[in-house]
Amino acid sequence: MDPGDLVLRGGRVFDPAAQRPIDQAADVRITNGRIVEIGRGLVAPRIIDVRDLWIVPGLIDLHVHLREPGQEYKEDIETGTRAAAAGGFTTVCCMPNTKPVNDQRAITELMVRRAREVGAVRVRPIGAITQGLEGKSLADIAEMKEAGIVAISDDGRPVMNAGLLRRAFEYARTFDLPLVQHAEDLDLAEGGAMNEGAVSTRIGIKGQPACAESSMVARDLEIVEWTGARYHVAHVSTARTAALVRDAKRRGLPVTCEVTPHHLALTDEACSHYDTRTKVMPPLRTAADQEALLEALADGTIDAIATDHAPHSPVEKDVEFECAAPGMLGLETALPIILDFVRMGTLDERRAIAALTGGPARTFGLPGGTLAVGAVADITVIDPERPLTLTADSISSKSKNSPFLGQTLAGRAVLTLLEGRSVYDLDGRIK
Ligand code: DOR
Ligand code: ZN
């Protein structure tokens, strides 16, 4: 399909994060990959009926693991971006814990090139903070920035050394890059495989306390105040961390954070049956944490919903809980999980969509995340009621490690456009 004139007709045009928020029944006209008009009765050579559906900016995920290079048996850029398109995402930011690690220009360039060759959606790499993610010396941040990284992170591991973190902040500030912390004090975590609390005690799995996360965030915020650098907390999982970020924002610090759909939807009770698909880092927490995260998302303390899409093969997952690799798939279930909160009335639909579009775009300073006239036509059409039964066959991702497997969820992307071109079309609307 060429990116010529196309009209999406009669949808709910919904862009709650725009400077002037949009929520109206209208048509969207796209020409040469851009949104050129929003209004009624628009015409074009091709007209797609999207009545009863939502037209939103293409979703943006700040946190995915695409596993290429090096672990293509779990996922690669082609399958990972196909899963993204199926989930309604048009931009994904990929973490550097590949093999080799994305800690230098050559690896960033490789990711960018592979994404251009085989990627279904936009891929924006995140560079490592330290060489080899070893926490010892800084990576080649300047070179990676030239090659296209949008942030730096040692995700999967925290930066434990405060002195090194200070230098990393100073570097990041020079290049105006956000530093993304995987907040987990390893001395407090002591290798705990799940949340430390009543459930871990009952089932006899060593836990890690909530303060392993929040104490590192508290420390980091002191260094943010000192350096003035941009700080982004990955996958916030505890009530205390959310409270710290809320307070830091009130004080005007350049701080942002994200939450995953799984930390909103599940608690440590899900680990009761030793299902390794529920093992993630940070671990699933308590109902009180879950409630605090929803509140923080509602009041804008949390800027973005990010999946932490973490594909693993049976080799890493079909083992004892303690030995299993942490992580679960996220790209294809994020939207239905979040829309479920909207249906239940526990999350405002404007906040839900904002945190998947304009919120993440602003957080990393990415283009997109808007339906403004003139913007690139990265657009997702959502059917808020359409069921999705998650089966191994229906998953586009190479790996199948989702605790939602076998469940029927509702609300999903039915059409994903990248620069006006279809990259996912559930019902074959675009001929
Ligand atoms: O659950 C997780 N999986 N947390 C991380 O921080 C890393 C990720 C992975 O790479 O599998
Ligand atoms: Zn992480």
Side-chain angles (χ1 to χ4, degrees):
M1 176 206 140
D2 71 45
D5 257 27
L6 170 73
V7 161
L8 300 175
R9 176 164 285 175
R12 174 189 184 189
V13 183
F14 192 30
D15 184 4
Q19 255 183 355
R20 264 193 259 131
I22 312 175
D23 186 359
Q24 62 182 106
D27 311 336
V28 175
R29 188 160 70 85
I30 299 158
T31 299
N32 293 325
R34 289 193 179 267
I35 297 171
V36 289
E37 203 176 357
I38 296 175
R40 303 298 277 268
L42 304 186
V43 287
R46 284 171 309 156
I47 294 178
I48 310 212
D49 184 358
V50 293
R51 241 175 315 166
D52 303 324
L53 307 178
W54 298 1
I55 303 171
V56 305
L59 311 186
I60 297 176
D61 193 342
L62 299 180
H63 191 145
V64 304
H65 298 272
L66 295 179
R67 307 299 193 208
E68 183 176 350
Q71 293 184 311
E72 289 86 352
Y73 67 99
K74 300 185 188 198
E75 192 80 285
D76 58 35
I77 289 173
E78 187 175 354
T79 58
T81 54
R82 234 188 284 136
F89 292 90
T90 52
T91 297
V92 295
C93 302
C94 63
M95 284 298 177
N97 62 340
T98 45
K99 288 187 175 167
V101 167
N102 182 19
D103 58 3
Q104 52 191 292
R105 182 200 296 269
I107 307 299
T108 308
E109 283 175 352
L110 172 100
M111 289 173 165
V112 169
R113 193 181 65 242
R114 287 292 294 157
R116 275 209 199 103
E117 285 166 5
V118 300
V121 303
R122 297 175 204 284
V123 175
R124 312 300 300 265
I126 295 170
I129 299 171
T130 68
Q131 286 176 31
L133 306 179
E134 282 174 355
K136 294 192 186 126
S137 44
L138 292 181
D140 283 331
I141 297 166
E143 287 195 349
M144 289 190 293
K145 164 89 185 187
E146 276 174 19
I149 60 165
V150 293
I152 53 172
S153 180
D154 273 3
D155 183 58
R157 299 186 196 170
V159 180
M160 284 290 285
N161 182 324
L164 189 66
L165 183 70
R166 178 235 175 133
R167 296 293 172 218
F169 269 134
E170 288 170 346
Y171 232 76
R173 193 189 52 200
T174 307
F175 297 104
D176 196 26
L177 287 168
L179 183 149
V180 182
Q181 178 72 292
H182 168 115
E184 178 186 359
D185 185 301
L186 298 176
D187 297 317
L188 281 166
E190 283 185 312
M194 65 177 291
N195 180 54
E196 181 182 315
V199 182
S200 65
T201 304
R202 194 176 77 223
I203 72 171
I205 297 275
K206 184 175 164 46
Q208 57 164 274
C211 67
E213 175 178 289
S214 55
S215 66
M216 178 165 278
V217 172
R219 175 202 74 171
D220 291 357
L221 287 170
E222 289 298 303
I223 308 172
V224 172
E225 182 132 30
W226 187 258
T227 58
R230 285 163 71 192
Y231 177 56
H232 179 77
V233 189
H235 39 53
V236 170
S237 70
T238 76
R240 276 300 300 151
T241 305
L244 286 166
V245 172
R246 183 179 292 117
D247 180 62
K249 285 187 163 188
R250 266 193 208 127
R251 289 190 286 137
L253 294 184
V255 175
T256 53
C257 71
E258 68 190 32
V259 69
T260 71
H262 52 266
H263 286 106
L264 292 171
L266 302 171
T267 67
D268 53 359
E269 288 289 349
C271 307
S272 296
H273 305 290
Y274 308 96
D275 180 349
T276 58
R277 293 173 306 182
T278 65
K279 180 175 176 183
V280 281
M281 269 326 137
L284 301 173
R285 304 286 188 180
T286 66
D289 293 306
Q290 203 182 17
E291 205 175 304
L293 294 177
L294 266 171
E295 258 175 48
L297 181 57
D299 75 11
T301 298
I302 293 174
D303 303 86
I305 294 165
T307 65
D308 197 1
H309 178 79
H312 288 296
S313 81
V315 176
E316 291 88 21
K317 284 295 193 182
D318 290 353
V319 294
E320 294 80 5
F321 197 90
E322 282 97 334
C323 304
M328 67 170 77
L329 301 183
L331 284 166
E332 293 173 79
T333 46
L335 200 46
I337 290 171
I338 297 305
L339 290 176
D340 201 38
F341 287 109
V342 170
R343 250 189 320 273
M344 289 187 303
T346 41
L347 180 62
D348 178 78
E349 58 189 11
R350 284 168 304 217
R351 274 304 299 151
I353 296 302
L356 286 162
T357 58
R362 265 195 292 280
T363 299
F364 279 6
L366 305 173
T370 175
L371 294 177
V373 168
V376 168
D378 289 0
I379 295 177
T380 299
V381 178
I382 295 172
D383 184 337
E385 303 299 334
R386 184 77 171 262
L388 163 70
T389 301
L390 202 70
T391 63
D393 284 345
S394 73
I395 293 176
S396 300
S397 188
K398 229 181 247 187
S399 293
K400 311 296 168 190
N401 55 307
S402 169
F404 300 100
L405 213 62
Q407 292 187 28
T408 298
L409 311 164
R412 62 186 299 184
V414 292
L415 181 65
T416 309
L417 302 181
L418 188 78
E419 236 170 297
R421 272 187 306 266
S422 162
V423 288
Y424 177 72
D425 185 359
L426 181 63
D427 300 314
R429 281 187 171 79
I430 297 197
K431 299 290 183 292

